[in-house]
Amino acid sequence: MQTKKRILLAEDEDHLLEAIKLNLELEGYKVSTANNGKKALQIFKEERFNLVILDVMMPEIDGFVVAETIRLENSEVPIMFLTAKNTNEDKIAGLKKGADDYLTKPFNLEELILRVNNLVKRSLKGDDLKEFNSYKIGDKTIHFNSFELVNGDASITPLTKKETMLLKLLIERRNEAVSREQILETVWNYDVYPSTRTIDNFILTFRKYFEPDPKNPVYFHSIRGVGYKFTDQH
């Protein structure tokens, strides 16, 4: 029997908490709930989750602080904010706290479920990748912890932290298009706004590293108007 995917839901409006919980359970998720930030952190420390959904304005401890606290202990679990705060500044603040998604109230339940499904799916891919700290592309092996690329002839190419983070993101989302916005959120964390050309240059570098023929890539693709995709059959 397949284990149910687990979600921690923290929301201080009882009717909304129950409505979201019911809909997530109908989708097959096991949902633990909290109506304040302090309780949410207590529950998070006791169980393992595939996703955390946080209201921002909660009693005891607000959602931003809860997210920051979770990120100190766990950099992998996806976090989604639900909030009435809907300005770009609020959204960027939330993403800087370590959130993977940000949905403003009022929202459509169907959209919430779609976003939840996508985040949980990504978390499961991350679990697959976490089983090892390296990944092989052709005859070259990326070592994520040491920021190194070991070539087929055993020579080593050092990787920058940004190169390693972008490689990991694209590999975790392999065979899917990853938008420029997602790359900005994950790799640059909105601290710097690189131009599209900057990200293009990273992709060009990866092609030089990995592609048999960089002008006809088989691994690293630019998707016009969307972003980038890493293709592999691992």
Side-chain angles (χ1 to χ4, degrees):
M1 183 175 150
Q2 194 174 16
T3 307
K4 281 191 175 183
K5 308 301 177 286
R6 304 174 67 87
I7 294 176
L8 172 58
L9 171 62
E11 166 62 61
D12 68 330
E13 294 178 48
D14 289 339
H15 69 285
L16 188 55
L17 180 77
E18 289 305 317
I20 296 172
K21 180 175 187 281
L22 175 63
N23 279 273
L24 291 173
E25 287 174 343
L26 289 171
E27 289 290 311
Y29 293 109
K30 187 175 190 316
V31 184
S32 298
T33 60
N35 56 13
N36 65 66
K38 187 175 180 182
K39 187 177 178 187
L41 283 174
Q42 287 172 344
I43 295 171
F44 183 80
K45 288 175 181 176
E46 292 165 4
E47 302 176 42
R48 186 169 183 270
F49 294 97
N50 299 99
L51 173 65
V52 178
I53 302 175
L54 299 172
D55 181 24
V56 173
M57 297 190 297
M58 288 189 292
E60 304 277 355
I61 304 173
D62 74 44
F64 283 167
V65 176
V66 173
E68 284 184 306
T69 307
I70 286 173
R71 280 290 174 251
L72 289 173
E73 300 176 17
N74 186 317
S75 63
E76 305 291 344
V77 64
I79 296 174
M80 176 195 282
F81 282 128
L82 295 181
T83 176
K85 292 172 169 280
N86 60 2
T87 68
N88 283 336
E89 290 78 9
D90 290 325
K91 183 176 181 182
I92 289 170
L95 294 167
K96 280 186 172 181
K97 302 295 183 188
D100 299 271
D101 204 350
Y102 191 106
L103 190 59
T104 54
K105 300 176 183 176
F107 53 83
N108 179 293
L109 268 171
E110 190 175 354
E111 181 183 359
L112 171 68
I113 297 297
L114 284 170
R115 289 179 181 231
V116 164
N117 291 342
N118 284 335
L119 287 169
V120 170
K121 193 167 117 185
R122 278 165 55 184
S123 84
L124 297 175
K125 283 193 177 182
D127 281 345
D128 290 343
L129 198 66
K130 288 197 283 288
E131 290 175 8
F132 47 92
N133 295 312
S134 61
Y135 191 91
K136 192 166 185 181
I137 301 175
D139 65 346
K140 303 180 185 218
T141 305
I142 306 159
H143 292 275
F144 295 111
N145 292 341
S146 59
F147 307 118
E148 290 176 335
L149 175 62
V150 178
N151 303 299
D153 60 3
S155 64
I156 293 174
T157 302
L159 298 170
T160 68
K161 186 176 180 183
K162 288 279 191 286
E163 284 176 338
T164 308
M165 289 172 73
L166 181 51
L167 281 168
K168 188 167 188 185
L169 172 64
L170 292 171
I171 291 167
E172 283 178 348
R173 301 282 303 280
R174 58 191 173 275
N175 304 319
E176 291 179 30
V178 182
S179 71
R180 293 182 183 88
E181 184 179 33
Q182 288 166 327
I183 291 172
L184 286 172
E185 291 171 15
T186 307
V187 179
W188 274 269
N189 200 27
Y190 279 102
D191 291 334
V192 181
Y193 287 81
S195 67
T196 299
R197 174 58 54 195
T198 304
I199 305 175
D200 279 343
N201 286 338
F202 274 76
I203 300 299
L204 289 172
T205 300
F206 295 161
R207 286 175 182 163
K208 286 177 190 170
Y209 288 161
F210 299 103
E211 301 286 1
D213 177 4
K215 290 184 178 176
N216 295 290
V218 294
Y219 297 117
F220 293 93
H221 308 275
S222 299
I223 311 297
R224 187 181 294 277
V226 180
Y228 308 87
K229 180 167 76 169
F230 169 70
T231 302
D232 198 13
Q233 301 309 313
H234 265 53

